[in-house]
């Protein structure tokens, strides 16, 4: 039994540091690297690739909207063609920078509002999948379980990975509980570990109403931008390993 | 006897068109495509690649400083490491977008102030050459004849191409006459053609003082952003062909 | 009987020109000047202010989303607080640059997607009105007739101006016919003039279904970015003047 | 006997925090607020103005080059006209945002590379002074003692303030010792306090060679972006007050 642990890294920009990349690298198996549109810059990308390579962590592209001030978290009404272009540009930029260090990208995970929009909108999802497939059909496309993004990836012939969140509450329909609701983010490390183990072992999660729902879980996302993120990541990894689950990247 | 004709294309940005790309594609053999930092955006890059592919024109990356307002024409005091990162990022972005359309990059030509600085500064030149070489050792590095940029390319094991300008006056030392001096830009199409033919046939040019100077000429740059640019490009191509010189890209 | 004619100007950016500002200045009485977020840069803003001053044209701020590539035409899901900040920043920048040339701003017209969103969303409209009022309560807020934007301006104690489009078709409910529908943009200069005169004289327009609808018309927008824009603007001005209608800015 | 203490604040950008603004506000009398080109965004500017107003700290504009990635610290070869435009734009933006909160700008301090270049280059210095004077002749222009920037300010009829650094070593000619040299930054709080007191009382400083040099000191800059910055600022303020020197902004 094995699982991939991913985290969003390389989100510093110019003089502004963000996150605890070095510390997180010890716990994760896959790093989603920002590509310069919502965060990250060429120097940060190079350094993040080097760090992942040194720690044996697989890397993927984390393309987002061109919106630094909004950190790519604000929905922008874009056409599928615009999305295809901005995804292909960013994934290509990271892929080349990775190749220059002898690394190959493992996956692509859309960032922020782009991810959320593409999980629900098949047109945008198809655009992302087509852009990724046009570059490299071995790239694994990340998306929420049962999302349009995963379906689009499969339709485009890409390998896909269903992403779950051990520290987020789920509604009975399998969607993430809105962050605006109390209890939507789980801070208790023990509970997060328990949920993570269950997600991997049983491919299910207990929703906010107490019901158990099935949930495909190929990779667990660990947040890197919160205080205590590195500690929580370590706890989740340790808990999974103690439960006999191997942490390994998807391309391993 | 043959020569490459190159031009800077894909310099539109968002809602702002620039240049006469479609018309120029008929005359040139190599297109230098802007990569989003000084001009160009993902959509423009995709369209420019498609246009070049349809017309049988080779493409190269045209990376510049991240300075849209200044169009990459203002010197920025950057470190070699910063230059290596921004060149690798931009070349990689274009290379991936080209690959998605079945095209392979032929060359890299630094843009504007970055080109001028790297032609004189070996540290910056080495950084560019190293960045290009780290991505693909078959990419041809463009530079002025006798420049640090060409020397850096050769030292890095890259194929290089010496670039000349048929519509620019030259000083006796082989450098381009400053644009601030009268007569620095030659507008007479017949004279431009005569100079182009001589550059290819004799690898020389008549300088502003009347002396003849040797000048390695592997590719001739045709400006695309001036009124009448497309007409001048056609005239140069026709003049060269009538002189028995074949127009062909460098990788052909 | 009098009317204001406005046009969006100062939309060049860095090396990229846009529009026919100098020609349009002869026909209009009010210029909406881009403020650097969706178009315009400090140099363009200075030059546009100088041009308006020399031609006796009133100026207003034309703040938009921070989206150069999308020209501020793509909806971005922003909070009212974000809108208030970006509007205040842009209006302030232009107001100071105008003051440096002895000019005072007459009005504020939100640009593109921001305008369209604020015309329908009272929260965003209130944010814009509050930002403008916090800077200068004499600034006239532009908006579509009957829009939330106009209502918010009135509620904030600002003078407002209802903006109509002589070259656009209207639906029976008084809204602009979608650009995606055939006939939504009227290209016949004679017809545009007739509609403009009727808008001013009768404060009404004939909708696409032939019905006549009431329409408050304080200022008519003339597009500046289409071929023939300057000619159409001249025709509209001439037609209005020949109908005995004076062209004058709102603050005159 | 009195002195102004200034610090660069409002240098956060979008999701990226920077500095310890709230803590520093207790120690300083004047805040230099970033204006969105090298750092700062409209929301950060609004919040920084509000913070300064609440703490009774005077504010000034801190305009810089449009270079977020380089934080405005990289020299860009700009013309005086370009500098005038970018300074006027940024100062105007902040001035309006301050007016909206009932605040008036006290001063203008160019940022980073722009400051350093203008201190040495009279053409750039004149451009900055003219831009500031065109907006408001009561704004105090900051510059290094004996710099072209101060001379340009005086020539333009602006009040000026000579800025000194208590935690930086000085060369015998009165210039700051290059940061690349050991000992250029003084970390010993006691020594910084001693130097600050001497700067105010005797308008002099002991240079790296032990000689005492005269140094006009109207305002002392306290760095805000280093670890321990807030503690050092508190120590300097306390030391100055214990020496009988009043801390007060320049416009007080």
């Amino acid at each position: 039994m094995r699982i991939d642990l991913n985290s969003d890294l390389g989100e510093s920009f110019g003089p502004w540091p963000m996150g605890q990349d070095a510390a997180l690298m010890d716990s994760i198996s896959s790093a989603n690297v920002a590509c310069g549109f919502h965060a990250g810059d060429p120097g940060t990308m190079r350094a993040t690739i080097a760090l992942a390579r040194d720690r044996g962590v697989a890397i993927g592209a984390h393309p987002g909207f061109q919106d630094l001030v909004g950190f790519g978290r604000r929905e922008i009404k874009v056409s599928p063609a615009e999305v295809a272009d901005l995804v292909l540009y960013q994934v290509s930029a990271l892929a080349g920078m990775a190749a220059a260090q002898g690394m190959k990208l493992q996956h692509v995970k859309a960032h922020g509002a782009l991810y959320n929009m593409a999980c629900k909108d098949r047109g945008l999802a198809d655009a992302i999948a087509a852009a990724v497939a046009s570059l490299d059909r071995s790239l694994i496309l990340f998306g929420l379980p049962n999302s349009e993004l995963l379906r689009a990836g499969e339709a485009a012939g890409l390998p896909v990975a269903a992403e779950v969140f051990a520290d987020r509450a789920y509604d009975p329909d399998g969607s993430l509980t809105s962050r605006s609701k109390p209890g939507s983010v789980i801070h208790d490390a023990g509970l997060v570990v328990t949920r993570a183990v269950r997600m991997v072992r049983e491919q299910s999660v207990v929703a906010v109403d107490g019901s158990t729902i099935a949930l495909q879980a190929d990779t667990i996302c660990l947040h890197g931008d919160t205080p205590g993120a590195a500690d929580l990541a370590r706890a989740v990894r340790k808990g999974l390993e103690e439960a006999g689950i191997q942490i390994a990247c998807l391309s391993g």
Side-chain angles (χ1 to χ4, degrees), chain A:
Chain A
M1 200 163 288
R2 52 188 275 181
I3 191 72
D4 179 49
L5 295 182
N6 80 77
S7 192
D8 301 346
L9 302 185
E11 294 184 330
S12 298
F13 184 79
W16 294 279
M18 183 180 281
Q20 311 159 44
D21 290 15
L24 275 162
M25 287 282 185
D26 287 334
S27 302
I28 62 175
S29 43
S30 295
N32 317 311
V33 184
C35 301
F37 273 40
H38 72 278
D41 59 73
T44 298
M45 290 163 72
R46 175 187 36 74
T48 307
I49 293 164
L51 192 62
R53 190 191 51 186
D54 292 349
R55 302 291 183 89
V57 170
I59 54 175
H62 197 38
F65 283 130
Q66 191 155 24
D67 177 18
L68 283 174
V69 165
F71 198 56
R73 286 186 173 152
R74 307 188 295 195
E75 289 190 9
I76 303 181
K77 211 168 176 175
V78 285
S79 68
E82 287 173 312
V83 163
D85 290 336
L86 69 84
V87 166
L88 180 56
Y89 179 97
Q90 293 179 69
V91 177
S92 296
L94 186 73
M97 297 193 83
Q101 294 194 41
M103 296 271 286
K104 196 187 166 312
L105 296 192
Q106 170 194 249
H107 68 283
V108 174
K109 173 180 166 183
H111 167 81
L114 180 59
Y115 182 79
N116 294 332
M117 290 165 73
C119 279
K120 292 180 205 152
D121 181 324
R122 184 60 185 263
L124 299 182
D126 281 336
I128 292 175
V132 172
S134 72
L135 185 66
D136 180 351
R137 287 182 182 278
S138 71
L139 288 166
I140 303 167
L141 189 65
F142 280 26
L144 294 177
N146 284 315
S147 64
E148 296 294 344
L149 196 44
L150 282 203
R151 279 189 278 274
E154 284 166 354
L158 293 171
V160 300
E163 180 182 45
V164 294
F165 300 81
D167 63 351
R168 290 290 304 278
Y170 281 82
D171 285 334
D173 67 352
S175 65
L176 291 164
T177 302
S178 168
R179 279 178 181 273
S180 61
K181 295 193 184 161
S184 62
V185 178
I186 301 164
H187 299 287
D188 180 282
L191 184 51
V192 173
V193 170
T194 302
R195 290 169 73 85
V197 171
R198 180 178 195 137
M199 283 168 159
V200 181
R201 275 214 185 122
E202 308 181 11
Q203 300 276 306
S204 73
V205 72
V206 176
V208 286
D209 68 347
S211 64
T212 296
I213 54 175
L215 199 71
Q216 184 187 346
D218 301 320
T219 181
I220 298 175
C221 181
L222 299 176
H223 295 103
D225 53 355
T226 47
D231 288 340
L232 183 60
R234 260 189 296 270
V236 170
R237 183 182 184 112
K238 188 158 169 280
L240 287 164
E241 289 177 335
E242 287 175 357
I245 298 162
Q246 185 195 351
I247 310 304
C249 72
L250 295 157
S251 53

